[in-house]
């Protein structure tokens, strides 16, 4: 029998939770922890922003061996979702080993020059005043062009690269269609009513699966993928013996993970667009790097401390997922908390990164909080997670983020609107409406 003082209290009803999210927007995630505590039960799932529990879940291998039922459901239901995030066991290990060479930090650094030149050339095709009706779509397109070489080894601007890019972007936007999304916080009658629409959408997405498989087959047969040292996701997976269908799924899955960075960069542009004074500070610091035409690599990060602080704050303030799912491999017995084996757990990243117990003024975007090497309480800042299932794309994401920011700031200034933007009511966050902007180039 579990002692009363170790029992985890019940959280809100689904109706109450979704009402609070509708009313309070993203602030609702922090509100839940204030009202119900750092650990509470919600529809049979333990919801936590307790760093003690999070450390165990992320670092102890017993809790990382078996994926959450949420991920297993997505793996089974969504076409082209058969990727690393949703896998476990020997299959995960094999695929991880196949793609890992592309993510090695020394290899990633060799792409700094290409990142710089590709972004620089794109901006110089714009007019002196470039207006954006949706800044996020602009970022998506620019980074997709980068990824064709970085991840897939395709010649930038080639017909096959353009076709693959268009297919991946179209699939992602289709997947994020509000009419077919079911990644709300909790299962309600509204969610169940949308299931037929969701299932129908998956059947339609199978045609995108066939289109992508056709493109991958053409790339492999004609040996079009030629990245540095021959390392790229398509080639690595093909040489590891994966089927065409499996390669297509992983190619799409890896793009979906990379697309999370598009959201982070859009958030960064939003913040500098509404704060010209801070943008000027970053521009002044980044100006010292103009002698690095090859772009910034990780070894140059020490020379741009303010920019690194800004990046860290973007990753804190705007986590790319409101939460991540885990499943306990054995019981967790702590002085005040007992969690049984096999318990589904949702780690609420937004609540963790905005918790008043862990951060001063957590709902203020304040990059200077990271000055002087300030380190947060362990396991209260985990934008790339930690442990055996950490994000293997961290080095690529950081390098891409910094070089993207550098090119934009040194070549012009961005103004964004509206002044206040909220996030949509989903587990995978995006701004609830389009972010418009105007980019003025320096003459």
């Amino acid at each position: 029998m579990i002692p009363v003082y170790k029992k985890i209290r019940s959280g809100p009803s689904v109706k109450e939770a979704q009402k609070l999210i509708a009313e309070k927007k993203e602030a609702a995630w922090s509100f839940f922890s204030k009202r119900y505590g750092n650990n509470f039960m919600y529809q049979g799932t333990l919801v936590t922003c307790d760093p003690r529990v999070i450390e165990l879940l992320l670092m102890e291998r017993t809790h990382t061996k078996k994926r959450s039922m949420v991920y297993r459901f997505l793996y089974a239901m969504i076409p082209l979702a058969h990727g690393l995030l949703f896998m476990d066991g020997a299959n995960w290990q094999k695929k991880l080993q196949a793609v890992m060479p592309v993510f090695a930090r020394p290899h990633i650094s060799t792409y700094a020059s290409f990142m710089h030149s590709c972004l620089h050339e794109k901006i110089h095709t714009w007019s002196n005043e470039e207006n954006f009706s949706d800044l996020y779509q602009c970022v998506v397109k620019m980074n997709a062009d980068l990824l064709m070489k970085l991840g897939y080894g395709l010649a930038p601007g080639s017909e096959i690269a353009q076709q693959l890019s268009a297919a991946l972007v179209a699939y992602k936007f289709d997947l994020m269609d509000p009419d077919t999304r079911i990644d709300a916080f909790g299962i309600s009658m509204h969610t169940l009513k949308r299931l037929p629409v969701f299932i129908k959408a998956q059947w339609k997405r199978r045609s995108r699966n066939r289109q992508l498989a056709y493109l991958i087959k053409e790339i492999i047969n004609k040996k079009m993928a030629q990245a540095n040292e021959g390392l790229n996701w398509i080639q690595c997976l093909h040489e590891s013996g994966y089927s065409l269908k499996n390669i297509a799924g992983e190619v799409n899955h890896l793009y979906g993970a990379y697309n999370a960075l598009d959201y982070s960069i859009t958030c960064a542009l939003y913040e500098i667009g509404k704060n010209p004074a801070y943008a000027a500070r970053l521009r002044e610091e980044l100006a010292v790097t103009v002698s690095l035409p090859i772009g910034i690599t990780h070894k140059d990060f020490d020379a741009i401390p303010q920019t690194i602080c800004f990046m860290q704050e973007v990753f804190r303030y705007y986590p790319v997922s409101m939460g991540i799912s885990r499943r306990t491999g054995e019981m967790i017995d702590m002085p005040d908390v007992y969690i049984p084996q096999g318990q589904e757990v949702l780690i609420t990243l937004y609540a963790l990164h905005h918790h008043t117990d862990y951060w001063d003024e957590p709902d203020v975007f304040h990059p200077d909080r990271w000055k002087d090497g300030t380190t947060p309480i362990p396991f209260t800042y985990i934008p790339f997670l930690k442990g055996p299932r950490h994000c293997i794309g961290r080095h690529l994401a950081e390098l891409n983020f910094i070089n993207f920011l550098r090119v934009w700031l040194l070549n012009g200034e961005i103004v964004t609107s509206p002044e206040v933007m909220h996030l949509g009511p989903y587990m995978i966050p995006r701004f609830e409406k389009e972010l418009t902007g105007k980019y003025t180039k320096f003459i």
Side-chain angles (χ1 to χ4, degrees):
M1 184 174 179
I2 304 171
V4 172
Y5 65 88
K6 287 193 177 187
K7 286 186 176 179
I8 298 172
R9 67 181 295 189
S10 296
S13 66
V14 179
K15 184 177 181 180
E16 179 189 0
Q18 295 186 350
K19 181 181 178 183
L20 284 168
I21 291 174
E23 292 175 351
K24 294 180 176 293
K25 308 297 183 181
E26 59 274 13
W29 296 92
S30 300
F31 181 81
F32 294 140
S33 64
K34 292 174 185 175
R35 173 173 285 186
Y36 301 103
N38 293 342
N39 297 289
F40 63 86
M41 297 302 297
Y42 180 71
Q43 286 198 314
T45 295
L46 168 65
V47 179
T48 185
C49 59
D50 184 336
R52 302 170 305 161
V53 174
I54 293 169
E55 179 177 5
L56 294 176
L57 290 172
L58 297 186
M59 302 304 293
E60 293 197 356
R61 288 190 177 273
T62 184
H63 305 305
T64 65
K65 290 179 180 178
K66 204 166 189 178
R67 297 310 267 163
S68 161
M69 293 301 293
V70 173
Y71 295 150
R72 289 173 178 269
F73 171 78
L74 295 173
Y75 185 95
M77 288 296 296
I78 301 178
L80 293 171
H82 300 173
L84 282 169
L85 174 64
F86 303 142
M87 301 173 69
D88 54 26
N91 290 333
W92 169 69
Q93 287 283 358
K94 179 184 176 183
K95 189 168 282 189
L96 181 65
Q97 291 173 4
V99 301
M100 196 61 191
V102 181
F103 289 104
R105 182 165 164 173
H107 183 65
I108 293 297
S109 292
T110 65
Y111 285 127
S113 176
F114 172 73
M115 286 181 182
H116 172 82
S117 61
C118 185
L119 293 167
H120 194 270
E121 289 172 11
K122 180 65 177 178
I123 284 180
H124 277 268
T125 64
W126 296 347
S127 60
N128 290 336
E129 287 191 355
E130 192 78 9
N131 292 291
F132 303 101
S133 58
D134 185 352
L135 196 56
Y136 172 67
Q137 288 208 31
C138 171
V139 174
V140 167
K141 181 63 174 68
M142 291 182 74
N143 259 346
D145 290 344
L146 277 174
L147 191 63
M148 290 307 103
K149 178 172 175 62
L150 269 61
Y152 306 125
L154 299 174
S158 65
E159 183 178 356
I160 194 69
Q162 291 177 358
Q163 290 176 340
L164 182 60
S165 173
L168 293 171
V169 170
Y171 180 89
K172 185 63 181 180
F173 275 99
D174 181 39
L175 201 63
M176 302 295 280
D177 181 354
D179 292 336
T180 62
R181 290 183 70 167
I182 60 170
D183 60 325
F185 183 48
I187 300 173
S188 63
M189 285 303 298
H190 180 67
T191 308
L192 295 175
K193 288 178 181 178
R194 296 175 72 176
L195 267 179
V197 179
F198 171 79
I199 293 171
K200 185 177 180 180
Q202 307 321 308
W203 282 105
K204 289 183 178 179
R205 285 167 186 154
R206 293 183 187 279
S207 63
R208 295 187 184 277
N209 192 342
R210 291 190 292 271
Q211 178 194 12
L212 190 57
Y214 172 80
L215 291 173
I216 299 297
K217 182 179 180 180
E218 188 174 0
I219 290 168
I220 292 173
N221 289 344
K222 295 185 179 180
K223 298 182 179 179
M224 296 176 177
Q226 300 293 330
N228 290 1
E229 301 179 6
L231 293 176
N232 59 73
W233 294 329
I234 295 174
Q235 182 175 321
C236 289
L237 291 165
H238 178 59
E239 291 179 352
S240 296
Y242 283 101
S243 68
L244 188 62
K245 179 181 177 181
N246 207 301
I247 296 173
E250 192 61 54
V251 163
N252 180 72
H253 182 79
L254 287 166
Y255 172 73
Y258 185 78
N259 178 252
L261 180 64
D262 298 333
Y263 167 70
S264 298
I265 290 174
T266 304
C267 294
L269 296 179
Y270 167 57
E271 290 294 338
I272 63 175
K274 68 177 185 177
N275 193 340
Y278 194 82
R281 282 175 57 186
L282 296 181
R283 186 176 294 110
E284 182 179 1
E285 178 178 81
L286 287 165
V288 304
T289 69
V290 293
S291 61
L292 301 171
I294 63 169
I296 293 178
T297 64
H298 285 89
K299 65 181 177 60
D300 305 309
F301 280 12
D302 288 344
I304 50 170
Q306 288 188 95
T307 309
I308 299 303
C309 288
F310 176 76
M311 177 175 68
Q312 289 176 299
E313 184 68 350
V314 170
F315 291 157
R316 179 196 74 84
Y317 198 87
Y318 299 101
V320 298
S321 177
M322 292 305 195
I324 59 162
S325 295
R326 288 293 185 266
R327 184 179 180 88
T328 56
E330 61 183 32
M331 71 174 184
I332 294 176
D333 195 355
M334 306 178 74
D336 57 342
V337 176
Y338 174 84
I339 307 170
Q341 180 181 1
Q343 174 65 54
E344 291 288 321
V345 183
L346 177 69
I347 299 172
T348 49
L349 295 179
Y350 191 91
L352 184 70
H353 286 186
H354 288 255
H355 203 295
T356 53
D357 287 353
Y358 314 142
W359 307 91
D360 294 330
E361 298 184 295
D363 293 325
V364 176
F365 185 85
H366 183 47
D368 287 345
R369 73 173 74 243
W370 297 94
K371 286 176 62 176
D372 305 320
T374 301
T375 55
I377 297 169
F379 293 91
T380 60
Y381 176 70
I382 47 171
F384 297 99
L385 307 183
K386 293 179 184 293
R389 298 301 299 244
H390 72 282
C391 175
I392 62 175
R394 174 177 182 171
H395 298 314
L396 175 60
E398 291 176 336
L399 200 70
N400 195 162
F401 184 101
I402 293 298
N403 278 284
F404 201 108
L405 200 65
R406 175 183 184 242
V407 170
W408 275 62
L409 283 172
L410 294 185
N411 285 280
E413 55 186 1
I414 179 80
V415 176
T416 56
S417 62
E419 180 70 18
V420 177
M421 290 286 281
H422 290 291
L423 303 179
Y426 301 106
M427 295 301 298
I428 303 300
R430 295 292 184 270
F431 287 127
E432 66 177 358
K433 55 186 175 182
E434 293 172 347
L435 176 65
T436 61
K438 181 173 76 171
Y439 186 78
T440 304
K441 291 197 295 187
F442 298 137
I443 305 300

